[in-house]
């Protein structure tokens, strides 16, 4: 897993992903649905990517990853977490990791499953309740998208880039 300093601090206090309250209904539905595939190879959790992806997706790996990151950009529902700002960041990161891991596990049967990546992004500046957490997905195609090659440059967000091989390290110790 690739993380920046902000995310490493958040991960130290995050609830293990198999515990906690679970996912809100709409996120659970996406996580349980089969992954979809567009004609250009763009993958999307929760079903086929929208038709516009075919017009937007370029032929190169960077363009395909950019299109996937645009279409696979999920805001983590956090309204129920806002009333408790002391635990908000810990719980919203946990929820983002739970969603990312559920989607990656659901993709296990895809031939490209080992190359799927999730990006969990949480705002950590003074307006963290405004920014919340988002999770994005892309298929690793020979390198990381340019925006995630140096995650330490992000000073207002905690960022984690993870793949299926990282999931066991996120589970609680037994």
């Amino acid at each position: 897993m690739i993380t920046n300093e902000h995310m490493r601090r958040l991960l130290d206090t995050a609830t293990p992903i198999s515990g906690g309250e679970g996912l809100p209904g709409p996120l659970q539905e996406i996580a349980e649905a089969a992954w979809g595939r567009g004609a250009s190879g763009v993958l999307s959790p929760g079903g086929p990517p929208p038709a516009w992806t075919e017009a937007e997706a370029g032929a190169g790996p960077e363009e395909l990853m950019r299109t996937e990151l645009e279409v696979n950009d999920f805001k983590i529902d956090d309204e129920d977490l806002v009333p408790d700002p002391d635990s908000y960041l810990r719980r919203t990161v946990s929820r983002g990791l739970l969603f990312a891991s559920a989607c990656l596990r659901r993709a296990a049967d895809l031939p490209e499953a080992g190359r799927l990546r999730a990006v969990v992004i949480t705002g950590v500046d003074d307006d963290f309740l405004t920014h919340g957490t988002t999770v994005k997905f892309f298929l690793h195609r020979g390198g990381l998208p340019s925006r995630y090659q140096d995650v330490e440059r992000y000073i207002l967000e905690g960022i984690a880039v993870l793949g299926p091989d990282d999931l066991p390290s996120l589970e609680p110790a037994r």
Side-chain angles (χ1 to χ4, degrees):
M1 179 168 24
I2 300 167
T3 59
N4 66 358
E5 180 63 30
H6 292 304
M7 184 58 80
R8 286 189 290 277
R9 285 195 301 257
L10 289 171
L11 290 174
D12 285 343
T13 61
T15 305
I17 60 170
S18 64
E21 306 89 18
L23 292 171
L27 291 175
Q28 187 66 41
E29 289 175 20
I30 293 167
E32 290 175 354
W35 280 65
R37 181 188 314 273
S40 64
V42 170
L43 293 172
S44 184
W52 65 262
T53 60
E54 295 310 315
E56 295 287 323
E62 185 76 24
E63 292 88 3
L64 286 168
M65 288 186 293
R66 184 174 38 250
T67 300
E68 283 172 332
L69 287 165
E70 287 177 32
V71 73
N72 298 324
D73 185 349
F74 299 93
K75 171 81 169 104
I76 300 302
D77 183 5
D78 62 359
E79 285 301 312
D80 60 317
L81 307 178
V82 172
D84 186 5
D86 292 336
S87 69
Y88 173 83
L89 282 175
R90 175 179 49 83
R91 292 176 68 203
T92 192
V93 166
S94 296
R95 188 172 285 176
L97 291 169
L98 179 62
F99 177 68
S101 65
C103 289
L104 290 174
R105 281 192 175 89
R106 180 67 173 98
D109 292 337
L110 294 175
E112 309 92 337
R115 295 188 298 129
L116 280 170
R117 299 293 181 268
V119 183
V120 179
I121 306 163
T122 299
V124 296
D125 67 339
D126 291 341
D127 291 331
F128 65 87
L129 290 175
T130 302
H131 300 296
T133 295
T134 59
V135 177
K136 301 176 181 227
F137 297 93
F138 68 95
L139 186 61
H140 192 270
R141 292 179 165 89
L144 290 175
S146 56
R147 68 177 98 172
Y148 300 122
Q149 290 178 1
D150 178 15
V151 294
E152 290 298 340
R153 70 187 172 134
Y154 291 92
I155 59 172
L156 302 178
E157 297 96 6
I159 298 188
V161 180
L162 60 139
D165 293 343
D166 298 311
L167 299 180
S169 69
L170 296 173
E171 294 173 357
R174 295 180 188 230

